[in-house]
Amino acid sequence: MTELANALTFYVVFLFSTTLHEAAHAWAAMRGGDLTAYHGGQVSLDPMPHIRREPFGMVILPLLGAIATGFPFGFASAPYDPEWARRHPRRAGLMALAGPAANLILVIVSALLLRGGAAAGVFEAPETVRFGFLADSSAGGAWSALGTLLSVFFSLNLLLAAFNMLPFPPLDGSGALPLLLSRRASERYQTFMWSTPAIGLIGLVVAWQLFRYVFDPMFTAAVSLVYPGVRYQ
């Protein structure tokens, strides 16, 4: 029962975090002049418009993953107009950054609440940390459950922000590259991405292989900011 409860906790956090991620993309696109996602209902924290767009990636796959492995891997997307992105590469780049930025905000909020709980004596730095477990508590069941929830929010959103910022298509880091390129180079880059659909699959394979080497030290460094003076290997 505990394993099922943990799996469902991970899924609920995944659903909320992914909804916020995609809503941030949609909001940034709307602010930049592209109303495609707005008309699709994606400028919303209601998960249903996002689920209707990607039911397999937001419900079926992550639920199966959470129950089978404890981790809700999945995917989602917000629509945008490629011609708008071609005309306004910087706006499109900011749209790409908006999703990971939303996840990073959740990481910061979770970290502040964990630090606040530790200062108040309701959370304690555990002897060892792992993904989804960053807080011990001797203050009772409700505080322990809150510590677990905050740990999952911190861990999962750090992963979502970090993974999506890798500069490989179709991840957001690739979409943000026009911010660093000249307009002509940006147009060539976008044209190449749109004319080569298979590059997205290659990018995902490369990103997944590299991510294991990137995330572990990042996770350890981020946790050390939650508990200053405590060092984890």
Side-chain angles (χ1 to χ4, degrees), residues 82-178:
E83 286 304 315
W84 167 81
R86 189 191 302 273
R87 292 193 305 271
H88 306 288
R90 294 190 63 82
R91 297 181 194 179
L94 292 174
M95 175 192 69
L97 288 180
N103 294 126
L104 187 58
I105 289 172
L106 290 180
V107 172
I108 294 171
V109 170
S110 301
L112 291 174
L113 290 174
L114 286 167
R115 284 193 66 170
V122 295
F123 298 142
E124 305 158 8
E127 291 186 7
T128 60
V129 295
R130 63 180 184 274
F131 191 90
F133 177 72
L134 306 178
D136 274 331
S137 179
S138 56
W143 287 110
S144 179
L146 179 59
T148 298
L149 182 63
L150 292 174
S151 297
V152 174
F153 262 105
F154 179 94
S155 302
L156 189 55
N157 279 281
L158 183 63
L159 184 149
L160 288 171
F163 184 71
N164 277 286
M165 280 307 298
L166 292 176
F168 303 105
L171 301 177
D172 295 326
S174 174
L177 285 179

